[in-house]
Structures are given as C-alpha cells and as structure tokens.
Amino acid sequence: MENRENVKGIAARVAIWSARHRALAILGWIAFVIATVVLSAQIGTRQADEGTAGHGDSGDADRIVAAAGFPEQPAGEMVLIQNRAGTDRVAAAEEVTRALGTVRDVIDVQAPIESLDGRSTLITFSIAGDAETAEERVGPAMDAVARVQSAHPELYVAEAGSASADQLVSEELDGGLNRLGMLSIPVTLGILLVAFGAVVAAFLPVLLAIMSVVAAIGLMAAASRYAPAVDETTHVMLLIGLAVGVDYCLFYIRRERDERRRGADPHRALTIAAQTSGRSIWVSGLTVMIAMAGMFFTQDVVFVSFAAGTILVVATAVLGSLTVLPALLSALGDRVDAIKIPGLYRRNSDGRVWNALLRLVLAKPLISAMVAIAALAALAYPALDLKTRGQSIQDVSPNAPVVQTFVAIGEAFSSKTTPAQIVIKDDSVRTPEFERTLAAFKTAVAGSGGKLVEPVDVEVNPAGNVAIVSVGLAGKESDDVAVDALNLLRDRVVPDTFGATALVTGSTAGGVDYNEQLSKTLPLVFAFVLGLAFILLLVSFRSVVVAVTGLLLNLLSVAACYGMLVWVFQYGHFEKELGFVSGGGITNWIPMFLFVILFGLSMDYHVFVVSRIREGHDRGLSTRDAVREGIGRTAGVITSAAVVMVAVFALFATLPLTATKELGVGLAAAVLLDATIIRAVLLPAVMAMLGRANWWLPKWLGWLPEVAHELPAEDVSARTDERELTPVS
C-alpha cells in the first residue's frame, strides 16, 4: 500500500504503516498476545490481601492483628435451633451435638448457649484443616444438621458459617461469573451478526476484543506487583474490554465499509477510517483511561486493582484497533463482507428511525432540549436521596438457606456474627492489671443499655503483646443502631477502659471507615476525571463550548443512572424480578465506580459523534447541517455499539450478588440513555441552538495545537453513488 497523501495524526500514520506491513503487524500482534500469556504464567498474578488493606482505625487494627502471629483459625460454623411452636429445644440440641461428634473433619463442638429472649439455642464448631478449603469438607456436617431438622419439624434447625458461606459463594457467584464470561461472547457476536449482516465483519471485532482482554490479563500479572489484584478484577476487565474493544472495531470497520460503498478505493477508504474513526478511538481511549485512573486516588485495594485492570484492557483495545485492525482490513479488502446473512445484510447502515427523530429535533431544538432535560431530571431526581451501605450476607442470594440462617443468628446472637473487635497492643495483656481493665470493660458493656451485647471473648497472641476483645453490637451490621453502638464503643467505652491507643475493628467498623475514606477521596476523583477530560476535549476539538457541553451531558447521564439505582435498589422496586432484597441504600463502592466507568464509556460516543460533526464543520457546512450529517451518519453504528454494551452489561444483573445487579442495571440503563436521549436528542438540540458558538475558543488559547478533523484531500464522503461491496477472491 503506497502512502499517496499527507496523512495527519498518529492513528492514520500507524494505520498506513500497518497496511503496508500487514504481515508484520498481524504476526506482531499475535506474538504480543502470546508473550503476555507466557509472562503471566511465568511470574503469576499477585493477589491483594484484602484483610490487611482497610482504612482508618479498623485498617490499622487489622494490620496489627495480621503481624501479631495469631495461629491460623479453622473455619467456624454455627447451628441455630429456634422454636416454631413452643417446643423444648434441649433434645434437638443434644442430637445436633451427638451427630456432629460423629462427622469427620468436625472439631471443637461447643456446649449450647441460649439467646437472651429464650427462643434460640446456638451450637458452634469448627471444620478441621485449612480454612481456605473448608468449603470442600463442610458438606457432611450440613447433611447431619439437615437430618436433625427432618426429625424435628416443629423446630428450626439450620447451619451457617464461613465454610458454608464460601460454598454458597463458590456455587452461586463464581458459577454465575463463569456463565457470564461464556454468555457475553456469543451474545455480542449475535448482535454484531445482526448489525453487519456478514459473518467475517461480525467475527473480527469479537476476536480482537477477546485477544485484547487476554493480553491485558497477562499484563496485569506484571502490574499486580504495584497494584495487587482482587478476584473480581478479571471479570471487570472482561466486561469493559469486550464493550470498548468491540465498539472501537465497530466504529473503524463501519467507517471503512461506508467509504468503500461511496466509491473510495481500498487505500483511501482505510485512510479516511484511520484519520477519523481511528483518531476518535485514540482520543476516547485516552479519556476512558483518564477516568479509570481517578480510582487510584481512593487508595483502596479494590479500586486500585480495578483501575490498573481497566486501564490495561482499554490500552490494549486501543492498540489492537489502531495497529492490527487496519492490517486485517487491508488484507481482507472487500472480503470483510464475506458470508453475507440473507435478510440482515444492508447496503446502507444509516438508521431511518434516528434520522426521522433528528429532523424533528433540529426543527424544534429548544422544545426538544427541554423535553430531554425534563426526562433526565425526572430520572435523576431520586438520586437526591441516595444513601450508601456496606455489603452484607443478604447481598448473596437472599433466599438461600445459609443466608437466611445467618440473618436469624445475627438477630438472636449478634455477638457471634458481626462482633466488634477491640485490638490492644501492649506488653501487659497477660497481667492482673489487664484483667482488671477487662472487668471494667465488661461492666461498661452490661451498663450500655443493650447497645453492646455479651458475651465478651478474649484472644491473646502467642507473644503475649496483642489481645483481641470481641463484643456484640446491637442492630444489624451497618444499620443506624449498629453504627450508634459502634460510636459508643469507640468514643466512650474503649477510651475509658483500654485507653486511647486501643483500636476497634470488625465488619461494622470497617464499613464506617471505608465510607469515610470514600467521602474524603471522592472530591479528588471527580476533580481529576473532570479536569483532565475537559483538557483532553479542549485540545482535541479546540473549543471551550464543546468541552463544557461534553462534561455536562455526561454528568446528566451519570445523574440519571444514580436516580434509577436509588429507585430500584434503595426503594426496593422489582425485588422479585431481579432477585434481591433492598438494604435501604446502594452498595458503598458502586456510585464512585459507576461514575468513572460511565464517564469514560460515555466519552466514546461523544468523541465519535462530535468528531463526525466537526468533519462537516471543517468542510464548510453550517453547524446545523454538520450536526444533521454527523449524527445521521453515525446513528446506525452508535445504535449497534450501544446494543452490544447494554446486552453485555445487562448480563451482570443476572448474577446473585446485589452489587453486581446494581452494576449491571446501572451500566445498561446509563448506556441506553446515553445513546438515545443524550446523543440523539439533547446533543443535536444543544449544538443546533449554539450554532457557531459551539466552536468558540478564546484568543489566549490560540496556542493550542491544531488537530485535523477534515478528511484527506479529494473528499469523497459526500458521494451518493453507493455500491454494494462484493467479496473478491
């Protein structure tokens, strides 16, 4: 392929090089993917130690405990025996104790204890061996408890604990994530088959997206030395990588095919696609990575892992789209349309419905903008009441027997499920003085008015310099009652007894400290993402107005997403249909994660559409005509890209964990809104009303670099003599 014209921009230059050296580009890409897999296999991925990565006092306490040398504890299990009809529980408790004593791998069966209300009995025991693999050995114990339940239908006899919970998570969540990974690919391929109507064109984006994800996962092994990975990172990388990888290829292939139909020769069609769609991919990819980088400011192990993983997968998707894709298109030529599907293959990809809507919007831009803003405001309104909460056991399959048992145990024996733990680091934890302090603490617990719940358990490390004192909190894990009890413990009881150096940790304390950390870092994340995105848009389009409207439109999309999440998950609508139980708030990490993800993904569409509008403006079209042409010609590809994203994201709503349902519903709804109300109505209406003001740039910013949006010389994009692509042999 000869370089017959002066191409502008890195994307076009890389495409021309790849097309001229396509064998090297294709083989180099394959070698790169294989090398990342080999790298991952050789060095492995460093996993984050989430137990020692907390925040605030609870995080400091967890790190003290981790370094104190406490012996490894076996997985603990509990059996709850509860009255249903006033029946005596003693016989059932004896049967449970005898039955557990005959089960292999069951150890440390404790004497039954009774709840304060006299309705419940609890028997605790442990599963021998490594706690990490206890889920594999807990089955016989659960069977033994189930037999006792069958013999006593008048009682409620059920088991729950760390091993049985791990078993549930493995069966439900891990299985669901694996199914998601397998389903997302055929679903995406099916949508692309409908969008392109040709097998090769549909298969190409999926193949490159999968290869990008594989390469990014391989690179994550090296990145994990600096940003340790959490288990969910791989699934998030698949989610984002498949979405952006397919979209980038879709934009590129569709533009190249359209230019061929309008009469451009193969070289020119590829050049135009590279200098327009390729440039949009480059800019939007940078914007997405900037948005993801905002998560580093949280200093949270999960967010840092997500940031590293998503940045890597977007970077590899951009790299593949700008290098190997042009080489493949050059090699395939018109064969990219090979194996046409009868009834689906269409010569013209422009959306008739969207073009009809666009004519209406441009005819009445003010009314259209007001209607769109009113609709988005109505959707966003519930977000004013947004509340966050920590994750709880009910977030995992709320109807599962193990989950229901956990909830029942928590209500009857709160000190056994989510106790607060006071960590004291002092050489005096085995002295009479410490015993007196402990007695004073127990007295304070008894006089707390029920906010702190006995029994009080004490564990000392082998070195005798760290003690863990456990006490129950009234309420449920993260509700107001539990937080109020925690505040009493932290502000008065612990300082008055163990002193100011003692630290409080546990599930409730960890959730409170986590929320405080997010509250502190949230302004930094927003400022970083919005500031750098503004600069990137400003430089890319040399327009303050385009940059500002881009940010405002994306923020509207995020606000509407938040409102829908509150309406569904906080207010409890569609609980039965989606299979969740509302906890009265949104999972605490979801709002920030959705902000960075949605802001980044929304910029894909915005950059792609506005770049096409700018092309028309730079050719001398009026703003209104440029908007009509730019949005009209991108309607089909935007619709296809949005359907892919919505379908992939919606699959997350089928997972059992409430947080993943929130993630799936939020992402799918926001992308759908973004591709319809935002891009098809509000954006053209606003740009039509602003007219020439869209391209305003203050004189003092005239030093900004010129970024070419116009097509290469001898523009053929306006030709109407379209032809059908015929695969050649």
Side-chain angles (χ1 to χ4, degrees), residues 98 175 220 258 266 310 402 410 415 541 579 651 657:
R98 282 198 304 272
M220 189 64 193
D258 287 349
T310 50
V402 170
S415 64
F541 294 103
L651 290 174
L657 190 64

Side-chain angles (χ1 to χ4, degrees), residues 579-599:
F580 73 96
V581 173
S582 175
I586 307 301
T587 306
N588 48 19
W589 60 270
I590 287 289
M592 182 182 291
F593 186 65
L594 278 179
F595 168 73
V596 296
I597 296 292
L598 288 176
F599 199 88

Side-chain angles (χ1 to χ4, degrees), residues 369-446:
M370 292 174 63
V371 170
I373 291 173
L376 291 170
L379 291 171
Y381 179 74
L384 296 175
D385 188 38
L386 190 151
K387 297 180 178 65
T388 59
R389 63 178 184 86
Q391 291 184 257
S392 69
I393 188 64
Q394 281 186 288
D395 289 342
V396 184
S397 297
N399 295 322
V402 170
V403 174
Q404 293 177 339
T405 305
F406 256 118
V407 173
I409 294 174
E411 292 173 348
F413 302 91
S414 60
S415 64
K416 295 296 182 181
T417 53
T418 56
Q421 297 176 317
I422 301 98
V423 177
I424 304 101
K425 185 176 183 180
D426 196 295
D427 291 335
S428 65
V429 296
R430 283 181 174 165
T431 64
E433 181 184 356
F434 180 76
E435 292 299 326
R436 288 191 294 271
T437 301
L438 184 61
F441 175 76
K442 291 180 179 179
T443 300
V445 169

Side-chain angles (χ1 to χ4, degrees), residues 475-533:
K476 297 179 182 178
E477 193 168 352
S478 60
D479 65 8
D480 292 340
V481 176
V483 172
D484 184 50
L486 174 69
N487 292 335
L488 171 67
L489 186 66
R490 279 181 161 177
D491 298 341
R492 288 176 47 195
V493 176
V494 169
D496 291 348
T497 53
F498 295 112
T501 59
L503 302 172
V504 179
T505 185
S507 179
T508 304
V512 169
D513 293 341
Y514 181 83
N515 286 339
E516 288 182 358
Q517 175 70 10
L518 288 188
S519 297
K520 287 192 300 184
T521 57
L522 190 62
L524 289 174
V525 174
F526 271 70
F528 176 81
V529 173
L530 296 176
L532 285 187

Side-chain angles (χ1 to χ4, degrees), residues 30-99:
I30 295 172
F32 166 69
V33 175
I34 293 173
T36 61
V37 174
V38 172
L39 173 69
S40 177
Q42 289 295 317
I43 67 175
T45 301
R46 181 185 170 196
Q47 294 296 315
D49 183 1
E50 296 182 55
T52 60
H55 305 286
D57 284 357
S58 60
D60 292 340
D62 291 340
R63 283 182 277 276
I64 290 173
V65 172
F70 281 92
E72 290 290 332
Q73 296 294 321
E77 288 288 301
M78 299 170 286
V79 178
L80 177 69
I81 306 171
Q82 206 163 53
N83 289 104
R84 281 177 174 165
T87 309
D88 184 17
R89 302 185 305 276
V90 174
E94 291 174 351
E95 287 185 38
V96 169
T97 302
R98 282 198 304 272

Side-chain angles (χ1 to χ4, degrees), residues 240-253:
I240 301 302
L242 198 58
V244 300
V246 167
D247 275 10
Y248 292 161
C249 292
L250 184 61
F251 294 160
Y252 211 121
I253 294 172

